[in-house]
Amino acid sequence: MQVISKYVHNDSVKNGRSFRFTAWFQRMLILPVLLMLLKSCIEPYIAEIEDEPELIAIEASLIKGIQRQRVMISKTTPLQNAEFVPVKGCTVRLFDDVDNAYRYDEYQDGYYILDLQDGDLVEGRNYQLQVLTQGGKEYRSKSVQLQAGVEIDSVYFEIESRIESYTGDDLEGLQFYIDLRAPDTISRFFRWKLVETFEYTSAGPINYFYYNSSLEPVPPSDIWALYRCWKTTDIKDIYLSNTINLIENEKKRIPLKYVSTESDRLKIRYSLLINQYSLSEGAYNYFNQNMVATQEGGGLYNKQPEQPLTNFFNVNDTTERVIGYFWLSVKSSKRIFVERINDLDVKDHFYPLEVFNLEDHGDGPFPLYIMEDASGTRITGSPYCFDCTRRGGITVRPDFW
Amino acid sequence: MIILLSVQSVGQDRAVLKNTYENLSFTDFIHDAEKGEEIKFYYQSQWIDGLKIQSLQSGVAWDEAMEQVLNGTGLNYYRNNNEIYIFPGKALVTDLPEYEPEKDVPSEALSGNDTVEASTRYLQTKSISEEKFLTVGSKQYADNGEKCRIRGSITNQNTGEELIGATIYVKETGSGTITDNQGKFQLLLPAGIYHISIDHMAMKNVEYGLNVLSDGEVTLQLENELIEIEEITLVNKRQSNVEGMLMGFERISTRSVKEVPVVLGEKDVIKIAQMLPGVQNAGEGSSGFNVRGGSADQNMFYINKISVYNTSHLFGFFTAFSPDIISDFSLYKNNVPSKYGGRIASIFEITTRQGNKEDFFAQGGISPITGHIAVEGPVIKEKVTFVGSFRSTYSDWILKRMNDNDLRNSKASFYDGTLGINAEINDNNQVKAFIYKSSDDFSLSVRNDYSYSNTGGSVSWKHNFSSFLSADFSVASSNYRFSVIDKNNISEAYSHEYFVEHTEARADFLSLQLDNHRLEFGINSILYNLNRGDILPYGQDSRRIPISLGLEQGIENAAYLSDEFRVLPRLDLLFGMRYSIYAQLGAAEVREYLPGLPRNDNNFVETVRFGRGEVVKTYSGFEPRAALNYRLGSNSSLKASYNRLQQYIFLLSNTVAIAPSDQWKLSDYHIEPPVSDQVSIGYYKDFQDAGINFSVEVYNKWIKNVVEYRDGADFISPEPLETQILQGSQDSYGVELMVRKNTNKLTGWVSYSFSRSVVQVNGTYFEQKINNGIPYPSNYDKPHSFNLVSNYRVSRRLSFSANVVYSTGRPVTLPVAAYYSEGRPYLLYSSRNAYRIPDYFRVDLSVNLEGNLKFKKLAHSFWMLNVYNLTGRNNAYSVFYEVNGDQINGYQLSIFARPIVTLSWNFKFGNYNSN
């Protein structure tokens, strides 16, 4: 079978979310030297890193606006096999400043949950988290106040082109922006978490399968069953902004996600759910340092990476380095939809389809997906082309769609 | 070659021939005469080839005999007792030699018959040429047993400018000296005959016979090295590094490095300086350099006494000095002369061409990036000259023609220009004026606009009070300004204009004392005037809070005295003392904090206001300088030095490379000036015959109050700077080895240095520490560094040059562990600078072709084919990590990741000889 690795996962393309000074500069210099005499490049690099001692990392937030609060406790790992290494069997408790105490349940290894009622989280109240490990260590967060949030003002997008760092090509896509409008009484630090959903289809209906070399056609119960999918993904990039330099607590055109036409996200319908959180300055700095350290390398004028300052500490040994930040916020959400934009040149990312023939396809692999066109020609191809769930989506239409 | 003899009063006896000579060649005659007579000839054999002796009778006076023999041959002679010097007679002395009688000598002493006769005879010949012979003083004043003091000066015959740093080496004693910054030198020798050789990096090496009779003066003129003869030596042709007090010092002429391969065909003195031992840079395309582990703002750049605060074009890819007008540059890494201060790592001094006194001359060139031209010539012949230069890029023009939107909306342009006037009013007064301007302007798409410029001017007056005392008075003023417009977010868009002005007045005196003391003393004063600027909203939609970063004024005064003298025949000592006092001047508002506690809002006490001109804070200190030179033999010496330097202005920069928006800032009420103490010991050996200099230097430097920044420092925020700055200590040490070959076809240098540089910021409180108070390598700590700079001359027209550059990668802070949060990995970083980027290695090559070498041609061409990074190695500029989805990816960024080939064309218009 012919395999053409043409399908490009958008995630593997290093997209130019932040404007890359270096990319610009490289091209700048290329020009005077018309023959492309000089070229800078960004290439993979793996440093030899010595093993570091394991540290405890506590991911903990208290969000007003959701019922189930989560705490994840893990250990640091070497870089080359980064994974979630749970710290099991901890006792996790939440205290507020009016003598309420709550205990989390361990839902999965290292994953602790607490279901709160709306009245349990009160703006202006202080909360503190306690973690007792099986080994008898006690970690506490500093006492943190729940501050008011604000509704999202407006979210919109513009068609922009970006230089892909890898290919150097200009690609069109949608740049989403948010406008912020908040009263002076609330925090000037904000974070956004995004969830995207998009609709896509496979190459066509599956008229029947071949399950083995007997090439017995087996019709599916619904030839369109694997045709239309919706894929929902938590966007893991960190979006932050602040208004400390501004007169009012308002800011326009804060860039959020850039969706390039390289993916098929924009082919039919695209939706972005924006969750807005107001932050304390400490939490903002913590996330900002993490963002800089993981998203914004590669400039000419880089600063030293900063060590994010935690608000957890080991009660019995304050010198122990603990990772994580206990942050509280009031969440507000907004969802927007983008219908197909005809002006946009959305790329196709399918393996090529082929006309079925015994020589190439008769020996499998099975099952083979067969689509018949109007003239009865049998067309086959990679399962990715026929089964939309292979690309991560589900066939159930989301209720908000 | 013209030599002016200051004193020519030689006692001549009427020596006669003892034997008769007939029908033999002049060569044989000399051979026989040197055996049979008490006579010695000095000559070059090619001059006397084919010359015949008809008949010379015994009893004839030698003078008559020589006149008879040489009549009509074009040769001339000069006799000094039993020595006869023969030379071609075509170059004539046009002036009468100068003679300054010593004041305490009665004038009738001059009237001796012999003297008059000999002088007359000498003056009649009016020519001393290729076989150079000098007589100093006169017999009348010769004081047997006492050493004679010879004071001299060396100038460029072609342009008349005095030659600084020329080496005078006396073969018989194995000792020598170097001309000072006014081209003057002094020798102490017992009366007698010596052979001296004079070397200057850009000039033809000459040798003289020297007949020392008594104290006296000589003025020597050296000729430019002509391509027709041998030209192109990479560095100092045969400069002694054994003599003198200088260590940790490099002087290089642009002429001598014109064939060194360079990136994109732009000759660049700073890029060449970076190949000297002890000099590093943050990475390709970063501006400035780092000397012995110090940050880039610890170097002072002067061009003709004008201080330059930003030496780069286009972010640092090029240097803001047009190479056409640079005569040479000097770099003091340690043992900084007492007259300099104000920066703790180095002083980088650029001297421009003085202008041709005789003819107009132009040179210039075209490279892929710029076009440049320099013009010079006399305004009043022999008296007043001018030099002007201009260089500009044309990349902007190309950008405008691009299809790409981002690029069409971008621009990048720069230019620099100079104009200098030199007037030699008379022998004792010389006035120079110089102006300098460099400017950069660029915008990145529609997001950021940057522009910056240096503007400066200087006037100096050199005056000789007597032959013992001379002085140099100068006033220079320069400013550096930049403007930034940030349009990344319309609500937050801002503009920022920054300005710093440095006005310096100096009076530097040099006194050469009879007993071999060389005294330097003087005063200088610098007035700093800064406007850190306002952050103002830019555009209608910007809601930026306007911030005034404030005005700053400061004055730095200094006085110094240094004395260099010979205590023992082999031992020279230098003691210098500089006292500097700096005052921060109002108007100012100073925030007071609780003493000893971290400076933050919690510990804020009150604001104290100072009126305009009021002294806010004073810092002062003695800066001792000491050095010794002990000569182990005629060709080797041991030197040691100690010096202290203080710095009252620094650059706010928390990036590894200097960014175009970094601001200079004065020491103030809270921020103390950095102080460095450096000790170094060196061993120097010259292999005169092979033209090789070897040196090894060991140094250790301690800096206190080195400026560092706490995490998240933001220099355009309203947060007071003192809350963002931390001061610590730095310890740098290393060994630098260098071998230079200065003569023959292969020239260049090889250097290796081992160096370390470690910073510690360890205050009492957590907020006052960096890296938890544990010492960490500075950003410029590159332990091993190797440089090879070489030039091989195949023929007079063709040469090849090659560089090999290696250094350990600079330190970097890397992620060492990961953890998962919110379903994705996060990174945990190492302690500061615990890792290194990959080692740097680069080979460059250039082929240099001169146009034809006809001397009288109107224009001369010089083609240079450059290959930068011949092996195409991807040298890392930086290493960084990103998290993409679930993946942790490490990347390295390389700036010049393939060989860069450029062809540049340079021309000289007018007298080739001028350069």
Side-chain angles (χ1 to χ4, degrees):
Chain A
M1 188 183 129
Q2 190 185 12
V3 176
I4 301 166
S5 58
K6 206 181 158 194
Y7 188 91
V8 181
H9 287 275
N10 186 56
D11 286 344
S12 69
V13 174
K14 214 156 97 75
N15 80 48
R17 196 189 69 78
S18 59
F19 177 76
R20 273 179 191 281
F21 172 76
T22 34
W24 173 87
F25 182 75
Q26 290 149 22
R27 306 211 310 161
M28 232 14 248
L29 268 188
I30 285 167
L31 297 169
V33 189
L34 286 166
L35 300 171
M36 297 263 299
L37 289 169
L38 83 118
K39 179 161 164 58
S40 57
C41 77
I42 292 176
E43 61 189 327
Y45 175 77
I46 298 162
E48 280 183 33
I49 302 290
E50 289 165 33
D51 282 346
E52 292 281 316
E54 286 177 349
L55 303 177
I56 191 163
I58 306 168
E59 175 198 331
S61 59
L62 214 52
I63 307 297
K64 189 176 170 76
I66 60 171
Q67 188 194 14
R68 175 160 287 184
Q69 309 296 336
R70 304 189 312 173
V71 169
M72 316 274 279
I73 303 172
S74 63
K75 281 184 198 159
T76 60
T77 62
L79 275 188
Q80 56 275 19
N81 33 22
E83 56 178 337
F84 183 75
V85 179
V87 178
K88 292 179 252 183
C90 296
T91 306
V92 181
R93 290 200 194 94
L94 177 72
F95 306 100
D96 66 15
D97 56 5
V98 288
D99 290 339
N100 292 315
Y102 309 88
R103 185 174 167 158
Y104 286 68
D105 296 320
E106 187 163 11
Y107 176 73
Q108 287 170 13
D109 286 350
Y111 182 176
Y112 304 83
I113 56 165
L114 172 66
D115 288 328
L116 285 180
Q117 307 304 313
D118 244 14
D120 291 334
L121 290 176
V122 179
E123 288 167 23
R125 207 175 267 180
N126 287 291
Y127 296 84
Q128 188 180 31
L129 199 74
Q130 181 201 45
V131 174
L132 294 165
T133 66
Q134 279 183 324
K137 286 186 176 174
E138 181 185 354
Y139 300 94
R140 274 175 187 261
S141 75
K142 289 179 183 160
S143 185
V144 185
Q145 193 180 44
L146 178 63
Q147 294 179 339
V150 66
E151 290 302 310
I152 291 174
D153 185 59
S154 59
V155 179
Y156 48 95
F157 62 84
E158 287 175 13
I159 297 173
E160 291 182 8
S161 65
R162 287 289 162 83
I163 301 166
E164 286 291 333
S165 301
Y166 274 156
T167 59
D169 293 341
D170 267 321
L171 265 187
E172 281 201 320
L174 301 185
Q175 173 66 55
F176 288 87
Y177 291 99
I178 188 166
D179 285 358
L180 184 70
R181 188 190 295 265
D184 283 343
T185 49
I186 75 159
S187 166
R188 284 180 163 254
F189 300 93
F190 298 89
R191 176 177 183 184
W192 295 274
K193 285 189 178 184
L194 309 180
V195 182
E196 68 174 2
T197 305
F198 62 96
E199 182 180 335
Y200 63 97
T201 61
S202 65
I206 301 163
N207 294 94
Y208 44 85
F209 300 98
Y210 292 142
Y211 278 104
N212 52 46
S213 54
S214 68
L215 303 180
E216 192 75 35
V218 180
S221 55
D222 175 2
I223 60 169
W224 297 103
L226 297 174
Y227 177 67
R228 190 173 299 276
C229 276
W230 290 265
K231 185 177 179 182
T232 297
T233 315
D234 283 344
I235 293 168
K236 288 164 185 172
D237 289 339
I238 304 172
Y239 298 98
L240 294 166
S241 195
N242 69 63
T243 59
I244 50 167
N245 291 321
L246 304 181
I247 295 166
E248 298 93 3
N249 199 359
E250 293 177 11
K251 195 171 189 176
K252 291 196 166 69
R253 289 176 65 86
I254 299 162
L256 296 176
K257 186 170 176 59
Y258 177 74
V259 183
S260 89
T261 50
E262 187 70 40
S263 70
D264 46 14
R265 285 168 166 72
L266 301 175
K267 276 181 87 170
I268 298 170
R269 196 181 193 217
Y270 182 84
S271 174
L272 199 61
L273 173 66
I274 298 100
N275 295 313
Q276 175 173 285
Y277 308 88
S278 61
L279 298 180
S280 67
E281 185 174 0
Y284 176 88
N285 287 338
Y286 183 83
F287 293 126
N288 189 46
Q289 285 156 3
N290 273 313
M291 179 184 78
V292 170
T294 57
Q295 286 172 218
E296 292 193 341
L300 276 184
Y301 302 118
N302 279 359
K303 297 176 183 179
Q304 285 282 354
E306 295 167 7
Q307 289 306 352
L309 280 182
T310 179
N311 61 353
F312 285 106
F313 56 94
N314 180 335
V315 173
N316 300 310
D317 176 13
T318 51
T319 61
E320 183 185 330
R321 194 171 162 199
V322 186
I323 290 156
Y325 203 94
F326 179 50
W327 61 288
L328 282 68
S329 185
V330 177
K331 178 175 113 166
S332 60
S333 302
K334 188 163 195 159
R335 174 179 293 282
I336 65 162
F337 291 95
V338 182
E339 307 298 333
R340 163 118 200 192
I341 298 167
N342 288 325
D343 293 349
L344 219 52
D345 175 26
V346 180
K347 306 269 189 305
D348 267 318
H349 299 287
F350 287 116
Y351 292 109
L353 297 177
E354 296 157 43
V355 174
F356 176 81
N357 65 74
L358 272 174
E359 210 170 294
D360 284 345
H361 307 110
D363 295 332
F366 297 103
L368 269 179
Y369 299 76
I370 303 294
M371 176 174 83
E372 276 183 348
D373 67 7
S375 65
T377 310
R378 288 177 294 176
I379 294 167
T380 189
S382 155
Y384 282 94
C385 303
F386 289 95
D387 177 358
C388 68
T389 63
R390 293 273 190 145
R391 282 150 60 193
I394 54 168
T395 54
V396 182
R397 177 188 294 264
D399 48 12
F400 54 81
W401 207 256
Chain B
M1 165 85 12
I2 302 165
I3 300 158
L4 300 181
L5 300 187
S6 61
V7 169
Q8 193 55 63
S9 51
V10 180
Q12 293 278 76
D13 54 342
R14 194 182 145 74
V16 295
L17 276 73
K18 290 178 184 163
N19 307 316
T20 298
Y21 303 89
E22 285 183 327
N23 274 333
L24 71 175
S25 73
F26 197 60
T27 314
D28 291 340
F29 160 69
I30 288 172
H31 182 256
D32 294 350
E34 284 186 345
K35 276 186 176 169
E37 317 264 348
E38 285 173 20
I39 197 83
K40 177 91 184 143
F41 286 88
Y42 294 91
Y43 59 98
Q44 290 195 4
S45 51
Q46 67 261 34
W47 299 332
I48 58 166
D49 261 3
L51 224 57
K52 294 267 187 234
I53 301 287
Q54 300 297 331
S55 167
L56 287 176
Q57 299 300 321
S58 66
V60 168
W62 269 110
D63 292 321
E64 283 170 36
M66 292 315 296
E67 273 163 27
Q68 182 189 332
V69 169
L70 297 178
N71 188 25
T73 61
L75 295 176
N76 224 316
Y77 84 100
Y78 165 66
R79 185 172 73 85
N80 177 38
N81 298 328
N82 297 329
E83 293 172 337
I84 291 176
Y85 296 84
I86 293 168
F87 44 85
K90 56 191 174 191
L92 292 180
V93 174
T94 50
D95 291 333
L96 289 184
E98 277 182 14
Y99 175 50
E100 278 184 18
E102 303 271 326
K103 290 188 179 66
D104 54 346
V105 176
S107 59
E108 47 276 28
L110 285 171
S111 62
N113 269 349
D114 288 348
T115 308
V116 173
E117 187 190 336
S119 298
T120 308
R121 192 184 306 278
Y122 165 69
L123 293 173
Q124 279 166 350
T125 68
K126 284 188 177 172
S127 67
I128 293 271
S129 188
E130 301 298 320
E131 183 67 35
K132 307 107 194 163
F133 186 79
L134 301 174
T135 299
V136 180
S138 74
K139 249 187 175 157
Q140 278 80 358
Y141 317 126
D143 187 355
N144 279 345
E146 279 296 304
K147 280 188 175 175
C148 308
R149 189 165 69 111
I150 302 125
R151 289 193 307 274
S153 63
I154 299 180
T155 58
N156 181 331
Q157 178 195 337
N158 305 82
T159 63
E161 60 191 306
E162 54 284 300
L163 294 170
I164 302 161
T167 313
I168 299 97
Y169 176 74
V170 183
K171 287 186 172 170
E172 282 75 7
T173 62
S175 65
T177 185
I178 297 171
T179 55
D180 63 18
N181 59 357
Q182 302 191 2
K184 295 202 167 11
F185 69 90
Q186 179 170 231
L187 284 171
L188 270 192
L189 293 167
I193 306 269
Y194 299 94
H195 292 86
I196 63 171
S197 77
I198 299 173
D199 288 306
H200 185 269
M201 58 190 131
M203 311 302 286
K204 251 162 80 175
N205 174 27
V206 288
E207 299 199 359
Y208 295 93
L210 192 68
N211 183 13
V212 178
L213 299 172
S214 70
D215 291 353
E217 294 187 3
V218 283
T219 300
L220 309 168
Q221 293 193 321
L222 296 193
E223 243 184 306
N224 277 328
E225 234 174 347
L226 292 179
I227 189 102
E228 287 79 3
I229 294 163
E230 59 179 83
E231 162 90 295
I232 309 318
T233 50
L234 260 173
V235 203
N236 316 11
K237 238 185 64 187
R238 239 177 58 185
Q239 264 194 326
S240 168
N241 66 5
V242 168
E243 293 302 325
M245 286 297 176
L246 291 169
M247 54 190 303
F249 169 79
E250 308 289 348
R251 182 196 299 281
I252 286 179
S253 75
T254 42
R255 176 186 169 77
S256 69
V257 289
K258 75 169 187 175
E259 300 186 350
V260 172
V262 281
V263 66
L264 294 168
E266 288 289 309
K267 274 197 278 184
D268 191 326
V269 286
I270 286 183
K271 298 284 182 281
I272 287 160
Q274 285 169 2
M275 288 191 278
L276 294 167
V279 184
Q280 299 284 3
N281 72 334
E284 276 165 327
S286 62
S287 66
F289 52 63
N290 306 102
V291 175
R292 291 185 172 174
S295 57
D297 64 349
Q298 294 173 6
N299 308 311
M300 175 67 106
F301 291 88
Y302 280 118
I303 179 164
N304 285 1
K305 300 183 194 285
I306 297 170
S307 56
V308 179
Y309 277 63
N310 186 334
T311 56
S312 69
H313 277 317
L314 209 64
F315 318 100
F317 281 83
F318 307 106
T319 296
F321 304 114
S322 175
D324 292 334
I325 50 134
I326 297 174
S327 159
D328 60 67
F329 68 84
S330 303
L331 174 65
Y332 298 92
K333 292 181 288 187
N334 66 337
N335 194 15
V336 174
S338 303
K339 69 173 174 178
Y340 293 119
R343 295 289 188 281
I344 57 176
S346 80
I347 308 289
F348 191 92
E349 200 184 24
I350 292 170
T351 310
T352 64
R353 299 164 57 78
Q354 299 300 298
N356 195 306
K357 286 179 178 173
E358 310 288 337
D359 292 307
F360 288 93
F361 168 62
Q363 62 176 326
I366 293 168
S367 78
I369 299 292
T370 70
H372 51 96
I373 188 163
V375 182
E376 61 185 86
V379 179
I380 301 169
K381 246 190 173 166
E382 312 263 317
K383 285 279 185 201
V384 183
T385 58
F386 78 96
V387 189
S389 72
F390 185 75
R391 173 170 67 157
S392 176
T393 176
Y394 30 77
S395 57
D396 218 20
W397 184 85
I398 297 168
L399 284 174
K400 290 277 179 291
R401 279 152 189 79
M402 288 292 126
N403 284 328
D404 181 304
N405 264 331
D406 255 0
L407 290 169
R408 199 164 46 225
N409 295 328
S410 297
K411 61 174 184 168
S413 64
F414 63 80
Y415 70 85
D416 54 65
T418 63
L419 182 63
I421 302 275
N422 302 292
E424 288 206 14
I425 295 161
N426 54 39
D427 283 349
N428 289 324
N429 291 287
Q430 190 184 7
V431 176
K432 295 182 185 183
F434 184 74
I435 53 175
Y436 169 74
K437 170 96 182 171
S438 83
S439 175
D440 268 72
D441 198 356
F442 45 95
S443 55
L444 318 184
S445 184
V446 290
R447 292 154 196 270
N448 294 84
D449 296 341
Y450 295 95
S451 66
Y452 59 84
S453 67
N454 295 291
T455 310
S458 67
V459 177
S460 66
W461 170 40
K462 278 185 190 176
H463 177 68
N464 297 331
F465 292 98
S466 70
S467 55
F468 301 104
L469 182 66
S470 61
D472 193 345
F473 304 97
S474 68
V475 181
S477 183
S478 65
N479 65 62
Y480 164 61
R481 62 177 77 225
F482 70 72
S483 134
V484 174
I485 295 169
D486 185 316
K487 294 176 281 193
N488 279 293
N489 177 278
I490 57 164
S491 298
E492 229 170 8
Y494 69 91
S495 65
H496 177 207
E497 291 194 2
Y498 172 90
F499 177 83
V500 54
E501 186 180 64
H502 173 125
T503 304
E504 184 168 354
R506 309 185 59 96
D508 298 305
F509 295 87
L510 171 67
S511 168
L512 297 171
Q513 299 296 314
L514 192 62
D515 47 354
N516 223 10
H517 280 266
R518 182 190 159 90
L519 277 176
E520 288 188 42
F521 54 94
I523 51 171
N524 65 52
S525 182
I526 302 169
L527 192 65
Y528 297 104
N529 187 7
L530 275 84
N531 183 354
R532 288 189 50 223
D534 298 329
I535 306 298
L536 298 173
Y538 180 83
Q540 285 183 331
D541 295 316
S542 178
R543 301 295 295 158
R544 187 99 185 183
I545 301 169
I547 297 165
S548 175
L549 298 176
L551 304 171
E552 295 184 7
Q553 282 89 37
I555 186 162
E556 178 184 334
N557 294 317
Y560 68 90
L561 170 68
S562 84
D563 186 10
E564 183 182 335
F565 56 100
R566 182 156 292 180
V567 276
L568 296 167
R570 286 166 171 267
L571 181 66
D572 292 341
L573 288 181
L574 179 146
F575 286 110
M577 184 59 80
R578 180 183 173 88
Y579 179 76
S580 65
I581 178 163
Y582 164 83
Q584 182 200 354
L585 302 176
E589 290 187 3
V590 172
R591 288 162 56 95
E592 293 260 29
Y593 301 88
L594 290 170
L597 294 173
R599 293 186 292 250
N600 59 34
D601 285 347
N602 296 335
N603 300 324
F604 171 69
V605 178
E606 58 173 344
T607 300
V608 183
R609 289 185 171 75
F610 292 87
R612 194 174 160 75
E614 206 176 328
V615 173
V616 177
K617 181 81 179 177
T618 305
Y619 296 102
S620 65
F622 285 99
E623 301 176 28
R625 318 278 166 92
L628 71 82
N629 178 355
Y630 182 74
R631 278 170 300 281
L632 301 166
S634 60
N635 281 323
S636 62
S637 69
L638 203 61
K639 300 184 195 182
S641 76
Y642 160 74
N643 64 181
R644 166 174 285 200
L645 291 155
Q646 307 198 66
Q647 178 164 345
Y648 300 105
I649 189 168
F650 60 95
L651 194 63
L652 293 169
S653 176
N654 55 358
T655 52
V656 174
I658 292 179
S661 55
D662 287 347
Q663 308 164 37
W664 290 87
K665 159 96 186 80
L666 290 170
S667 290
D668 65 16
Y669 191 83
H670 295 289
I671 299 152
E672 296 177 45
V675 179
S676 83
D677 288 285
Q678 185 173 202
V679 172
S680 55
I681 297 171
Y683 171 75
Y684 306 82
K685 185 156 181 66
D686 291 349
F687 300 92
Q688 290 280 351
D689 295 336
I692 288 172
N693 300 148
F694 168 79
S695 67
V696 51
E697 288 183 24
V698 184
Y699 67 91
N700 199 341
K701 184 161 70 170
W702 300 268
I703 305 173
K704 66 171 187 179
N705 302 332
V706 69
V707 177
E708 291 277 322
Y709 305 93
R710 70 158 169 72
D711 278 355
D714 180 358
F715 307 130
I716 58 167
S717 79
E719 243 183 298
L721 278 178
E722 65 268 13
T723 64
Q724 311 191 47
I725 288 176
L726 299 171
Q727 293 192 282
S729 60
Q730 185 172 353
D731 183 5
S732 304
Y733 54 90
V735 184
E736 295 167 1
L737 282 146
M738 183 149 177
V739 178
R740 274 184 183 187
K741 185 169 181 306
N742 306 319
T743 52
N744 297 334
K745 285 193 163 179
L746 180 67
T747 56
W749 72 77
V750 182
S751 74
Y752 165 78
S753 52
F754 171 78
S755 60
R756 293 303 314 271
S757 167
V758 176
V759 177
Q760 184 173 26
V761 181
N762 188 19
T764 315
Y765 296 91
F766 177 77
E767 298 91 321
Q768 297 171 321
K769 294 176 198 282
I770 292 178
N771 202 35
N772 293 321
I774 299 160
Y776 55 90
S778 79
N779 289 335
Y780 326 104
D781 176 56
K782 298 180 178 178
H784 300 283
S785 158
F786 171 87
N787 293 299
L788 167 74
V789 174
S790 63
N791 181 264
Y792 185 77
R793 177 149 290 281
V794 178
S795 73
R796 287 172 186 179
R797 289 179 61 184
L798 179 67
S799 75
F800 295 93
S801 298
N803 301 334
V804 179
V805 179
Y806 166 83
S807 74
T808 316
R810 71 171 165 82
V812 66
T813 309
L814 288 184
V816 288
Y819 63 96
Y820 257 72
S821 179
E822 300 177 355
R824 58 168 268 181
Y826 281 85
L827 303 173
L828 196 70
Y829 277 80
S830 67
S831 57
R832 186 176 281 216
N833 285 346
Y835 289 88
R836 292 182 179 280
I837 67 173
D839 289 356
Y840 184 94
F841 177 74
R842 196 185 80 227
V843 178
D844 311 325
L845 206 66
S846 72
V847 181
N848 314 290
L849 184 68
E850 293 273 353
N852 77 53
L853 300 170
K854 281 180 192 160
F855 189 75
K856 294 291 180 197
K857 207 166 71 159
L858 187 66
H860 292 261
S861 282
F862 174 69
W863 290 91
M864 189 166 180
L865 181 71
N866 246 300
V867 186
Y868 183 87
N869 197 9
L870 183 73
T871 61
R873 180 182 155 90
N874 295 1
N875 283 305
Y877 175 85
S878 65
V879 165
F880 60 97
Y881 278 73
E882 291 192 346
V883 176
N884 310 115
D886 284 346
Q887 293 288 312
I888 299 169
N889 296 319
Y891 300 100
Q892 77 167 47
L893 166 69
S894 312
I895 305 279
F896 297 120
R898 60 167 74 165
I900 300 163
V901 184
T902 48
L903 181 66
S904 56
W905 175 68
N906 293 287
F907 64 89
K908 290 172 181 175
F909 200 74
N911 182 6
Y912 189 91
N913 201 2
S914 297
N915 185 27

